[in-house]
Amino acid sequence: GLVRVIGLKPVNWLDGVWARRSMILLYLWKHCGLFTLLLAAALETVPKDEREAALLDGAGKMRMFFSIELHHIAPALLFTVLAGLLFGFRFFREIVLLFGRYPAEDLYLVQHFMRNVFALLDYQKLCAGAVLLFLLAALGMGIPALLIRRFGGDGSLLPQLEMTADRKGRRFQACDILPALILLLCALPTLLTLTHALAGEGELWERYAAIWDRRSLEPESVRLLLWPEKLTLESFRTFFSGGGLLLAYGRSLLYTLPALTVQLPISLCAAW
């Protein structure tokens, strides 16, 4: 209606290329204020004595920002970037509400792919997709962390991996058993996902058929697969040959990265 008032031809905002533009605008509007609050809180932690010393030395506001403030808020800036990536990959919720589980190809994101594969109970493919997403997420989060470590930031949000001198020669003690067990339990689902992705479809069906066929569910017929009898890369070959997951992942990046490059400068300027 507003477009018609100013004399332009009306468009369908939820169809074709306009649907993608509308979703990007919605994503920008949704998170820009949150990022501003995060960065404003980080700017409040910059030591006042350093600012006063810079003013006495004749530094202007821009020089103070790039030489002092940006250095101190680098860890918070890294956290904001990672939060933006995570929020961007969760943006499929709005698209599901507007377009359903099978939207147009331009709006078919990685969560649509994983959710629909789960609905089809293609467990082998689902595990392979989870492993690939884990590696891609580790790469996407590891590169910004390495850049912050290398070029700036005080490291307050980044763990220091160097061991102190008094712990280098310490042996495994009884008090370490409980944390080790907790760590093992937390890592077990990830390890099982990897082993299931390397197992054959027939072996998975033999172990978990009773779960998928709920009419004949018998607890004693379900056996957990800790390690496959024969390792296979069949599920990964399926992914790379079809390319469905990688295409959906690329579409998610096409929404997330451009929006993030607009959100960060606006939020940083507003916070400053």
Side-chain angles (χ1 to χ4, degrees):
L2 293 176
V3 171
R4 186 182 290 109
V5 167
I6 61 178
L8 298 178
K9 183 180 179 181
V11 297
N12 187 350
W13 298 96
L14 297 180
D15 186 26
V17 67
W18 287 105
R20 184 170 58 187
R21 295 172 183 174
S22 302
M23 293 300 100
I24 292 179
L25 289 175
L26 176 59
Y27 176 71
L28 287 173
W29 166 75
K30 184 177 180 181
H31 296 119
C32 210
L34 173 62
F35 295 161
T36 301
L37 290 176
L38 292 175
L39 295 173
L43 285 170
E44 289 295 326
T45 63
V46 178
K48 293 183 179 180
D49 53 349
E50 294 187 16
R51 288 177 172 172
E52 293 172 355
L55 288 175
L56 291 176
D57 291 338
K61 289 187 176 182
M62 295 299 294
R63 178 63 183 274
M64 187 186 306
F65 173 77
F66 286 103
S67 300
I68 297 177
E69 295 174 336
L70 188 60
H71 173 79
H72 284 282
I73 69 171
L77 193 60
L78 169 64
F79 176 78
T80 305
V81 171
L82 297 182
L85 290 174
L86 293 176
F87 290 154
F89 277 85
R90 291 171 54 193
F91 191 57
F92 83 107
R93 296 181 301 176
E94 286 78 4
I95 297 180
V96 168
L97 289 173
L98 289 171
F99 304 99
R101 292 174 54 187
Y102 293 93
E105 184 177 356
D106 289 341
L107 300 173
Y108 196 80
L109 306 184
V110 63
Q111 288 88 348
H112 293 93
F113 182 88
M114 298 295 287
R115 180 176 178 178
N116 294 334
V117 170
F118 180 79
L120 296 174
L121 294 177
D122 194 345
Y123 189 57
Q124 184 192 34
K125 191 185 236 184
L126 192 65
C127 289
V131 172
L132 290 175
L133 285 179
F134 179 84
L135 295 176
L136 291 172
L139 182 65
M141 295 183 180
I143 291 177
L146 291 176
L147 291 177
I148 290 295
R149 273 189 176 275
R150 176 65 179 84
F151 296 107
D154 55 6
S156 59
L157 294 182
L158 301 177
Q160 301 297 324
L161 301 180
E162 297 82 4
M163 298 178 64
T164 56
D166 58 340
R167 289 191 174 185
K168 284 186 177 179
R170 192 173 73 87
R171 297 181 178 179
F172 189 83
Q173 299 178 359
C175 60
D176 298 326
I177 295 178
L178 182 59
L181 290 176
I182 295 176
L183 179 62
L184 180 61
L185 288 175
C186 293
L188 185 60
T190 304
L191 296 176
L192 287 177
T193 302
L194 177 60
T195 57
H196 291 167
L198 296 174
E201 186 176 1
E203 188 175 5
L204 289 173
W205 181 261
E206 180 184 355
R207 295 293 187 105
Y208 302 122
I211 296 179
W212 296 327
D213 188 7
R214 298 183 179 181
R215 293 170 298 177
S216 59
L217 181 58
E218 298 178 2
E220 60 273 8
S221 63
V222 178
R223 295 174 296 155
L224 186 64
L225 179 61
L226 297 177
W227 189 257
E229 297 179 359
K230 183 180 179 180
L231 297 178
T232 177
L233 297 177
E234 176 187 352
S235 57
F236 294 98
R237 281 195 294 267
T238 303
F239 266 119
F240 287 110
S241 61
L245 176 66
L246 297 180
L247 286 175
Y249 190 86
R251 292 190 198 100
S252 296
L253 286 177
L254 286 176
Y255 281 91
T256 304
L257 295 182
L260 197 58
T261 56
V262 175
Q263 284 174 329
L264 281 181
I266 293 177
S267 300
L268 190 57
C269 291
W272 189 51

